[in-house]
Amino acid sequence: MRFISKLLINKLAINKRSISNLSFLFVFFTSIPVTFAQSNCGTGGGTTVCLSATGSTSSIDLSWTVSGSVSRIELYRDTDSNPAGRTRIAVPATSARSYSDTAAVTGTQYWYWVKFNATGGQYNSGAATATRLAAVSCPTPSVVPYVQVGGTWSQTGSATVASGTSIGLGPQPIAGGNWATGTWSWSGCGTSGSSREQYFAPSASCTASAVFTDTCGQTASYNFAINTTAKWTNVKYGGGGYVPGLVFHPTTPDLLYARTDIGGSYRWDAAAAIWAPLTDGFGVRDGSHQGAESIALDPTDDRRVYMTTGVTVNLSDLGRLYISTDRGDNWQYITLPFPVGSNNRGRAIGERLMVDPNNPAILFYGSRTAGLWKSSDRGQNWQQVQSLASLQMNQSQIDNNSGGTPIGVQQVIFDTATSGSGSATQTIYTAIAPDYAALAGLSHSVFKSTNGGASWTGINTPLQGYHIPHWVRAQDGMMYVVFTKTTGPGADGPATLYKFDGTNWIPLKSYTQTEWTNYGIGGVAVSGTGSSTRIVLGITNSWGDWEGKPTVQISDDAGINWREIGSATPRIPANEGFTGWLDDIEINPFNSEHILVVHGGGVWETKNASATKPTWNEKVNGIEEVATLALMAPPPGASYSLLNSSGDVGTLVHTDLSVKPTRNTGSNFKNGLATDMAWENPSYIATIGSAHWGGANPGAFYSTDSGATWNSFPTLHPQGLTNQQDFSSLAVMKANHVIWAPSNSVPAYTTNNGASWTYSNLPALPEGWGRSYRLVADRKNPNKVYAYDSGGGWWGPAPKFYSSTDGGSTFTASSQFANLNARPEFFGYASMAVNPNAEGHIWLVDGHSIFRSVDSGVTWTKLNAAASIWGSNTNSPDVYGATSIALGKAPAGASYSAWIYVIGVIDGVWGLHRSEDGGNTWTRINDDKHQYAGMGNLAADHNVVGRVFFSGNGRGIFFTN
């Protein structure tokens, strides 16, 4: 017979995710019922007895069957199969059918017989053999938790993700067997079944429980804590702002980045056909770094990205270099020794930041104020290239050059056809703007180095006093260089494109000023080599759209002949277009038919550039760059979801949050300043706005059909056309009853839809920046309206609250509010909202604290909740404690009839916070990955519980359910 004696527990298996911390192992001994049985029968006297034997760690267990009758049973054993010399070990009862031989020696093989008396004599069963097993060490199992988020596994038992985000759980045992031989069971968070790895998308916070059973029958369990945060979605507009630059990776198809001037940067997700935002994790302290002046890619490592940030050129706020090794999903930054101006003039110039293709540890940066800089350690440390120039402008020089936005060093061009050689590129060109050249005493606008930047030689150029916004090198080494007189955006002419072979400048395309036009050249891109080089140009300061107007010029013979492929061409959508600020243009390095051009509202592309009339598609899905100035959510029953007053696009009425709104004030407004509706009749909407430069100035509109059409008021507030700064306010008490507070003006009201306006009795405000009354109407009583004077700045007088019970004619100041020490602040740092379900319930934030009144503003309570974070500046905090507030729908049975939302600092953490109990407790509902470099205006939905709207810093509007 063949006998099996084997340890039943496999050795501990180590997964590819290494396990570094083992729990204490408790070894114990247990009986493992493993059968090594032989069964044999014997017959006599009309009776058959069959015996079997099974070895375990504690005994050898015998069992037998009897067919017939027996009068006596005896059990024998021996250490061999020969029954001679065997030993009797027991005489069990004739009814017994089992026996445990605990005296058997571990590891010894025994043979057993049953001797039985039946009719006619004594007989034997067949022999059965077994071995008593050695005790087995069985470690107590323990579970190591692993969680997968965003495709990456981490050894942790908890995770915080946005609601609806896919997540994986893949725990491992560290003792008692491996996951392949043990079994699993799951419950909670939508997990189920016996698969070790579980994948799900939690919609709410939950606990997932895993139970592992090892081959010893022991169990270990683990509870995974999954926390969800709100999932934020952009309210759709699409574009809405300037995209100064696009950067393709030279060796990886479809890897494309876009930088905006105020609204973050993006990476194109080709699979999803959407721009993925890269800077939404920037915090409120990073607000001045939401715009990017330059992006550079490592041509030898497509995961490494560099981005310089800083919205305005000022020595008190130095630029930053952000570095990512995962295509912008995560960033680290270092502070640069000079300022950066992503929203200053000339912001499309460049790219200023370049990576040496042969030695990618080397970076050069053309700064606006401090000359050329070099890093030899992938951006960690920077040194000024003083062999070119040593000037670093002081603040006075900055303020007095180029309107306070100096241009400085514009270009860095590596003249090489190789990549990844490991040796620094030796031949480098750089272009210097007239402002820096004059201050630094440089005699040329173009310089060349043939020793990696150690020394520079001036190059004579065909034009002097011009800017060089773009300079590209073709594959054959030919340079194509744009000279334009001004900086842009939308640079004026005259302008000329030159071909430069290192010695000779050959003009290819020029624009000179005429009586009616003054075109410039912004972007240039090339593809191919030699006489068949394709060149495309973005023509700037070229407004409108008609046949023959230069917008995008193309040449397929290296600049000898040109034709227009942008104007009067098919466009999707047909009612949109691109014109004016075409300051950058790119050709896909893997498809020369694919051309992209930027403008003041986003990006357009064509994929059939060789056609006589190429088709252009707007490529803005995912880019949301509208700067929001005010938001208002309508009551239940309205035919729309949100009123949006924004910069550059006017007033918008959103009927579908996933579609660009068609109800808007069109070109009548440049900036929508404030909008409100009649609560009992939300089809009546009133809005105020400012005019486009040089355009008509309507000042205000009203609509009686929910924004489908708009009408001018017969008359306007007396200061309605002169005081149109962003800090203006408006409230609608009921249809045709409106109160309007232009900036720095006494509010005036109308009861006849603008046929006449009457000043309220509110006191005049001193002239000053950021000063106005903030107005809000009581939603339960249309005769009540409230006004707040925030003081106009930290230096201003104490804030004051006023209430009116006669529709805005007469206001009374709250003397009790004056005793609560609200801090004076700018208009934009204060906010006020009412509970639409409770008359006289007013909520207010002064930039630092939260205040509440339940008696129409007569008395107030200051909540002990929000608090600003202060640094060394005693006038302005590092982080404001409470800057915007809104009230929205609460679920049935809630302790307070509205949920309250505040942007600010609660429990020391800045973010968007919600209270579900009237301000007693608060919960942060965003997370660190969703901070948007600060949040602005708030509005809370009155139809959907938990839905709140807010504006990101240059990132449009977001909402969540």
Side-chain angles (χ1 to χ4, degrees), residues 389-436:
S390 61
L391 172 70
Q392 298 188 44
M393 292 186 190
N394 58 40
Q395 192 62 51
S396 176
Q397 291 172 315
I398 292 172
D399 295 340
N400 291 303
N401 274 277
S402 300
T405 60
I407 305 303
V409 179
Q410 302 173 112
Q411 303 289 333
V412 178
I413 301 297
F414 293 102
D415 189 5
T416 178
T418 61
S419 178
S421 69
S423 299
T425 300
Q426 296 300 294
T427 302
I428 309 170
Y429 288 91
T430 187
I432 314 297
D435 54 10
Y436 186 82

Side-chain angles (χ1 to χ4, degrees), residues 341-673:
S342 71
N343 198 34
N344 288 131
R345 290 196 62 79
R347 51 193 181 270
I349 287 173
E351 294 294 315
R352 296 174 178 270
L353 178 64
M354 297 297 290
V355 179
D356 188 332
N358 287 300
N359 182 354
I362 296 175
L363 284 70
F364 280 88
Y365 193 83
S367 77
R368 288 176 176 265
T369 64
L372 183 64
W373 290 72
K374 178 182 179 181
S375 171
S376 299
D377 55 6
R378 291 185 166 86
Q380 297 300 312
N381 296 280
W382 290 84
Q383 297 79 38
Q384 188 185 42
V385 182
Q386 295 188 352
S387 57
L388 179 64
S390 61
L391 172 70
Q392 298 188 44
M393 292 186 190
N394 58 40
Q395 192 62 51
S396 176
Q397 291 172 315
I398 292 172
D399 295 340
N400 291 303
N401 274 277
S402 300
T405 60
I407 305 303
V409 179
Q410 302 173 112
Q411 303 289 333
V412 178
I413 301 297
F414 293 102
D415 189 5
T416 178
T418 61
S419 178
S421 69
S423 299
T425 300
Q426 296 300 294
T427 302
I428 309 170
Y429 288 91
T430 187
I432 314 297
D435 54 10
Y436 186 82
L439 287 173
L442 298 176
S443 58
H444 294 78
S445 60
V446 173
F447 287 83
K448 177 181 181 180
S449 174
T450 58
N451 52 16
S455 62
W456 299 84
T457 301
I459 302 296
N460 292 326
T461 56
L463 298 173
Q464 288 74 45
Y466 278 63
H467 292 276
I468 298 178
H470 290 282
W471 176 326
V472 296
R473 181 187 187 278
Q475 295 173 349
D476 57 6
M478 188 64 70
M479 309 284 188
Y480 295 85
V481 187
V482 172
F483 288 77
T484 294
K485 189 65 178 177
T486 60
T487 60
D492 299 344
T496 300
L497 171 70
Y498 284 90
K499 181 166 65 174
F500 178 53
D501 61 7
T503 302
N504 303 298
W505 298 88
I506 302 172
L508 300 179
K509 184 72 172 177
S510 294
Y511 291 99
T512 57
Q513 185 174 359
T514 71
E515 181 181 3
W516 303 108
T517 65
N518 191 16
Y519 302 140
I521 300 176
V524 58
V526 299
S527 177
T529 61
S531 60
S532 61
T533 299
R534 167 166 282 186
I535 311 170
V536 291
L537 301 176
I539 308 305
T540 54
N541 197 36
S542 174
W543 301 96
D545 185 37
W546 64 86
E547 189 70 47
K549 181 187 75 71
T551 301
V552 176
Q553 289 279 298
I554 189 170
S555 171
D556 285 321
D557 53 11
I560 296 175
N561 296 287
W562 297 87
R563 62 188 178 90
E564 174 60 31
I565 60 169
S567 295
T569 52
R571 297 176 185 178
I572 302 173
N575 62 335
E576 300 288 348
F578 50 94
T579 185
W581 289 11
L582 278 63
D583 295 295
D584 187 30
I585 194 166
E586 301 294 335
I587 300 176
N588 187 331
F590 296 89
N591 178 8
S592 62
E593 288 296 297
H594 185 197
I595 296 173
L596 300 92
V597 65
V598 307
H599 73 123
V603 182
W604 284 77
E605 68 178 356
T606 181
K607 294 185 177 180
N608 62 334
S610 295
T612 303
K613 291 286 186 180
T615 298
W616 291 85
N617 290 268
E618 195 172 24
K619 192 184 182 77
V620 293
N621 187 27
I623 294 178
E624 296 292 342
E625 202 188 348
V626 170
T628 307
L629 302 179
L631 295 173
M632 187 64 68
S639 63
Y640 52 92
S641 298
L642 185 67
L643 298 178
N644 169 10
S645 306
S646 286
D648 294 327
V649 298
T651 296
L652 310 171
V653 180
H654 296 270
T655 58
D656 184 340
L657 301 176
S658 64
V659 176
K660 184 174 183 176
T662 57
R663 300 184 188 183
N664 54 69
T665 53
S667 60
N668 295 292
F669 285 169
K670 180 180 188 292
N671 297 341
L673 301 178

Side-chain angles (χ1 to χ4, degrees), residues 6-7 87 103 116 120 130 178 183 456 641 701 715 828 953:
K6 175 182 179 182
L7 188 64
T87 302
F116 61 95
N178 62 38
T183 60
W456 299 84
S641 298
F701 287 109
T715 65
N953 186 354

Side-chain angles (χ1 to χ4, degrees), residues 3 20 46 73 116 124 223 232 243 270 299 332 359 392 438 474 595 603 610 642 661 671 699 721 757 769 795 960:
F3 301 104
S20 59
I73 292 177
F116 61 95
N124 289 287
N223 293 327
W232 302 104
V243 179
Q332 300 290 327
N359 182 354
Q392 298 188 44
I595 296 173
V603 182
S610 295
L642 185 67
N671 297 341
L721 297 183
W757 295 84
W769 186 86
W795 59 85
T960 184

Side-chain angles (χ1 to χ4, degrees), residues 127 184 209 212 230 265 463 530 591 613 627 643 654 679 741 744 777 797 799 846 868:
W184 295 87
S209 298
F212 174 71
S265 295
L463 298 173
N591 178 8
K613 291 286 186 180
L643 298 178
H654 296 270
W679 198 254
N744 295 108
D846 67 343
S868 296

Side-chain angles (χ1 to χ4, degrees), residues 735-895:
N736 305 322
H737 290 238
V738 181
I739 185 166
W740 179 0
S743 54
N744 295 108
S745 303
V746 174
Y749 65 94
T750 180
T751 60
N752 51 22
N753 207 31
S756 62
W757 295 84
T758 304
Y759 282 116
S760 72
N761 72 328
L762 285 167
L765 297 174
E767 287 294 326
W769 186 86
R771 192 82 183 268
S772 186
Y773 284 102
R774 189 174 287 276
L775 304 170
V776 64
D778 194 295
R779 300 309 196 185
K780 298 293 284 186
N781 185 341
N783 292 318
K784 291 185 177 181
V785 61
Y786 310 109
Y788 180 64
D789 170 17
S790 66
W794 57 264
W795 59 85
K800 297 178 179 64
F801 177 85
Y802 302 85
S803 59
S804 171
T805 59
D806 58 6
S809 174
T810 305
F811 284 86
T812 301
S814 169
S815 58
Q816 193 264 345
F817 180 83
N819 297 327
L820 295 180
N821 298 317
R823 295 182 64 96
E825 274 300 346
F826 301 111
F827 178 85
Y829 289 145
S831 175
M832 184 168 54
V834 296
N835 182 347
N837 307 306
E839 181 179 342
H841 282 222
I842 311 164
W843 294 76
L844 185 151
V845 294
D846 67 343
H848 307 272
S849 302
I850 305 171
F851 302 84
R852 176 186 64 208
S853 174
V854 295
D855 57 8
S856 301
V858 176
T859 61
W860 288 84
T861 300
K862 183 178 181 179
L863 275 62
N864 185 24
S868 296
I869 299 174
W870 292 88
S872 59
N873 187 336
T874 59
N875 297 319
S876 298
D878 289 349
V879 182
Y880 281 87
T883 55
S884 191
I885 191 166
L887 280 76
K889 184 178 178 66
S895 61

